[in-house]
Amino acid sequence: MSERSVSKSREQKRWYSVLAPEQFDRQELGETLAEEPDQVVGRTITTTLGELTGDSGANNTKLTFKITDVGSDTAYTEFIKYELTRDYLRSLVRRGASKVEASITVLTTDDYRIRVQPVALTTKKADRSQEKAIRRVMIDKVHAAAEDRTFESFVDAIVDGNLSSAIYGEAKLIYPLRRVEVQKLTLEARPSEVAAEEETAVDVDAEEVAVDADE
């Protein structure tokens, strides 16, 4: 493609300002280039919590947003992932101590399915039963948080550190802890997708019941 063709193609495209959801005060996340608005929908953009809040101490947290709607020159997003950076996670690990992890899938009160991955770092090496007990606390606390919160408020509880604090407060009674973090949260399914899956599951069950009755 000639330089003139490339230049002409770029001129036909336009920039769209990408905004965070209202939960994050509609802050501008950046810009994206496209010829048509529908080409923008589905794109993702990742930033740090520090860039959104102006707190450089929060640059170890990455937030990913997905574009779901486009206006005249503005793209609107939904939050889909919270994740700690690998460098930060590596800095938490100490030789001779335990790293206890869990991966928990829950449904919020407004029917968002999310996967939550907390991690607890002990001061010294815990035994297997203690690690198991700490993991149980993680699972119970994440389930309890989901039962009481919408998707948005659940995300807030992680971003604000409230869920980590709740896990720490109980798990430290099992074995001394140095730190508890939620290393990752991922949006797995929206309410409409969850409803569609449940409807499909019901249809399958009904077919199985019908087959059993015929037999």
Side-chain angles (χ1 to χ4, degrees):
M1 184 180 291
S2 67
E3 291 183 5
R4 178 176 295 180
S5 297
V6 171
S7 176
K8 185 176 180 179
S9 175
R10 179 170 285 273
E11 287 175 1
Q12 292 174 343
K13 296 182 179 181
R14 62 186 301 179
W15 287 100
Y16 295 86
S17 177
V18 183
L19 301 184
E22 187 175 346
Q23 177 183 8
F24 294 93
D25 300 324
R26 296 289 189 195
Q27 293 191 56
E28 185 170 342
L29 300 172
E31 293 183 311
T32 189
L33 187 66
E35 292 180 2
E36 300 293 338
D38 58 2
Q39 295 175 336
V40 175
V41 175
R43 292 182 182 178
T44 60
I45 186 167
T46 300
T47 186
T48 68
L49 181 60
E51 289 174 339
L52 284 182
T53 61
D55 178 10
S56 59
N59 284 336
N60 53 23
T61 301
K62 297 189 296 182
L63 304 175
T64 301
F65 301 88
K66 184 176 183 179
I67 297 173
T68 56
D69 192 22
V70 182
S72 58
D73 59 358
T74 305
Y76 302 94
T77 64
E78 65 174 350
F79 169 84
I80 61 170
K81 186 187 294 185
Y82 167 105
E83 186 175 17
L84 298 182
T85 63
R86 292 182 180 179
D87 287 346
Y88 177 67
L89 286 172
R90 279 197 294 264
S91 73
L92 298 178
V93 179
R94 296 287 186 274
R95 184 176 298 178
S98 295
K99 178 182 179 183
V100 184
E101 299 175 286
S103 182
I104 309 139
T105 299
V106 292
L107 204 64
T108 60
T109 58
D110 50 353
D111 290 335
Y112 281 82
R113 188 171 71 236
I114 54 179
R115 184 159 59 94
V116 188
Q117 297 172 262
V119 58
L121 293 307
T122 63
T123 56
K124 296 181 180 180
K125 184 66 176 177
D127 63 35
R128 185 170 297 181
S129 64
Q130 291 165 331
E131 290 180 358
K132 184 178 180 180
I134 291 170
R135 188 173 292 108
R136 184 73 256 169
V137 169
M138 290 178 173
I139 294 170
D140 291 345
K141 289 296 183 182
V142 169
H143 276 284
E147 289 172 0
D148 291 339
R149 291 176 171 84
T150 62
F151 174 60
E152 183 175 318
S153 61
F154 193 102
V155 172
D156 285 341
I158 289 181
V159 172
D160 296 340
N162 294 335
L163 181 55
S164 297
S165 296
I167 294 172
Y168 180 89
E170 188 167 330
K172 70 178 182 180
L173 303 177
I174 299 167
Y175 194 87
L177 300 178
R178 195 165 50 80
R179 196 157 186 92
V180 172
E181 297 275 9
V182 174
Q183 56 184 330
K184 192 173 184 180
L185 176 148
T186 308
L187 172 60
E188 291 196 334
R190 298 155 189 81
S192 59
E193 296 166 331
V194 171
E197 290 174 3
E198 290 177 349
E199 185 176 345
T200 301
V202 169
D203 289 343
V204 171
D205 290 343
E207 290 176 4
E208 290 177 351
V209 169
V211 170
D212 291 341
D214 291 339
E215 292 177 351

